[in-house]
Amino acid sequence: MDLMVEASPRRVFANAHTYHINSISVNSDHETYLSADDLRINLWHLEITDRSFNIVDIKPANMEELTEVITAAEFHPHQCNVLVYSSSKGTIRLCDMRSSALCDRHSKFFEEPEDPSSRSFFSEIISSVSDVKFSHSGRYMMTRDYLSVKVWDLNMESRPVETHQVHEYLRSKLCSLYENDCIFDKFECCWNGSDSAIMTGSYNNFFRMFDRTTWRDVTLEASRENSKPRASLKPRRVCAGGKRKKDEVSVDSLDFSKKILHTAWHPVENIIAVAATNNLYIFQDKAN
């Protein structure tokens, strides 16, 4: 018989969430972890399955007064008392568990002021943060909203130190993306091992990489047609309007059903994993 690989649960941690869990993050103390849903963040001990501590609760007494939900949460990579969580209003709160057991009051509040001139019907939807990730060094954190990736210095709450546009050419298409529900897609983002580059997904099986030192960026495609083993990925370009060059892809021909929401970067080597719908691609840096 063929060898069958099966995953069997070692422990089941139950009965602590009313809503879908959107984040799990293991603490640097290697004893506890957090789980977050739309309204609450719970702290668990890895050995205790039947109870958890509620550390963040944003549920209002009257649910009709609900204005935002928690979208992602993560522990700091080195400081076991520090965690961060993002919201659908585009804000990020940093909490210190040493200051109080219930983190209802944040220690730091990160928000970029909105430019009133660019305000539209979709502003609040596209500013919702879909992912937040601390850098390996612990000095920065990265947030992903619908159109961009932002890098924040933990010591500066007023604005991000870097903003990278992921697919700015979609700004003119927000109306149709709202109608087909794609505007609510939740894209993740990740750092490379040295924090010098970041990666996130887009549509048409495209994914984007940004080099933080050279400020170069590239769009690559994960698809069966151009992913023969050992073949090099060629950079792709999207034509937003005007005359389309030979190797460019027109915005109107992008396939919004092919999306890369999940990406991961190897902690040490230049190897990446990209999930494109039901296919998993693993690419590695070509040896010179």
Side-chain angles (χ1 to χ4, degrees), residues 216-229:
R216 286 205 193 115
D217 63 274
V218 66
T219 303
L220 300 169
E221 182 181 358
S223 67
R224 283 194 167 164
E225 294 76 59
N226 62 8
S227 292
K228 296 179 178 67

Side-chain angles (χ1 to χ4, degrees), residues 213-269:
T213 41
T214 62
W215 277 83
R216 286 205 193 115
D217 63 274
V218 66
T219 303
L220 300 169
E221 182 181 358
S223 67
R224 283 194 167 164
E225 294 76 59
N226 62 8
S227 292
K228 296 179 178 67
R230 308 277 172 248
S232 281
L233 291 181
K234 293 182 177 63
R236 306 301 304 257
R237 292 192 183 282
V238 176
C239 168
K243 201 165 187 305
R244 185 169 67 89
K245 294 187 185 137
K246 188 170 71 101
D247 56 346
E248 286 184 334
V249 180
S250 161
V251 169
D252 298 317
S253 66
L254 294 176
D255 188 341
F256 293 109
S257 66
K258 294 178 176 174
K259 55 192 91 169
I260 292 178
L261 303 178
H262 313 288
T263 58
W265 208 311
H266 191 283
V268 186
E269 296 178 51

Side-chain angles (χ1 to χ4, degrees), residues 30-54:
H30 299 300
E31 288 185 357
T32 55
Y33 74 93
L34 67 75
S35 59
D37 66 22
D38 284 358
L39 299 178
R40 292 194 177 101
I41 300 176
N42 294 327
L43 180 70
W44 301 82
H45 192 285
L46 287 163
E47 303 295 331
I48 302 168
T49 59
D50 59 351
R51 67 178 184 273
S52 62
F53 294 102
N54 178 235

Side-chain angles (χ1 to χ4, degrees), residues 134-140 151 162 191-198 210-213:
F134 280 110
S135 63
H136 297 288
S137 68
R139 179 172 172 188
Y140 300 98
V151 176
E162 296 167 27
W191 300 84
N192 72 340
S194 61
D195 298 334
S196 62
I198 54 185
F210 303 93
D211 188 313
R212 298 181 58 221
T213 41

